[in-house]
Amino acid sequence: MKYLILLHSHPEPWGHPVEEFTPEFAALSAEERERHFAAFEALLGRLHEKGELVSGEPLGDPAKASLYEYESGAAKKSAGPYSATKDHLAGFFLIEAKDQARADEIAAEFAAPGQTVELRPIWTGAV
């Protein structure tokens, strides 16, 4: 089953890797930051080797987003970002996991200071 791991963060300024631009990550020691990035690279390697990592992409600055709403029979464009909160969607990873428990294990490994990780199953049409 496929799942989408959504990374929400609030870097200032916007940049990638988003952790480097959050106060929570900046508060870590240099050794802790180095360990985090090494562990993340190892995680991506393991997921790739097991065939569980399908794809992933960082997203651009939400201030450059455009919103399209359907209004009065037509699409209306307005400037982003969509969310009024400080957190925005920073990137995503599409994974393939044998079950929900494995998807939960993988998503938990994506957690990082200054980020919230959301795990959502890909819709299959089954209820």
Side-chain angles (χ1 to χ4, degrees):
M1 183 168 192
K2 289 184 180 165
Y3 294 84
L4 196 59
I5 295 174
L6 303 164
L7 305 178
H8 301 270
S9 192
H10 53 272
E12 286 295 331
W14 191 265
H16 287 282
V18 291
E19 299 99 301
E20 286 189 356
F21 301 93
T22 64
E24 297 88 346
F25 196 75
L28 299 176
S29 71
E31 294 80 23
E32 288 172 309
R33 292 191 303 269
E34 194 173 301
R35 276 195 305 271
H36 167 77
F37 286 126
F40 185 72
E41 288 301 318
L43 168 63
L44 293 181
R46 285 192 316 274
L47 294 176
H48 180 73
E49 287 173 11
K50 290 176 141 184
E52 294 177 312
L53 180 62
V54 177
S55 68
E57 294 290 337
L59 298 178
D61 188 342
K64 296 180 181 174
S66 297
L67 303 177
Y68 298 85
E69 296 180 89
Y70 194 78
E71 190 176 290
S72 301
K76 178 183 167 190
K77 180 181 176 180
S78 61
Y82 179 74
S83 176
T85 65
K86 68 176 182 173
D87 283 355
H88 297 282
L89 185 59
F92 68 90
F93 291 89
L94 181 62
I95 61 168
E96 180 125 12
K98 64 181 180 175
D99 55 27
Q100 179 73 47
R102 177 62 184 142
D104 287 334
E105 289 174 8
I106 294 169
E109 290 193 71
F110 278 84
Q115 288 185 350
T116 301
V117 175
E118 178 182 354
L119 176 68
R120 294 180 70 179
I122 298 298
W123 177 254
T124 61
V127 178

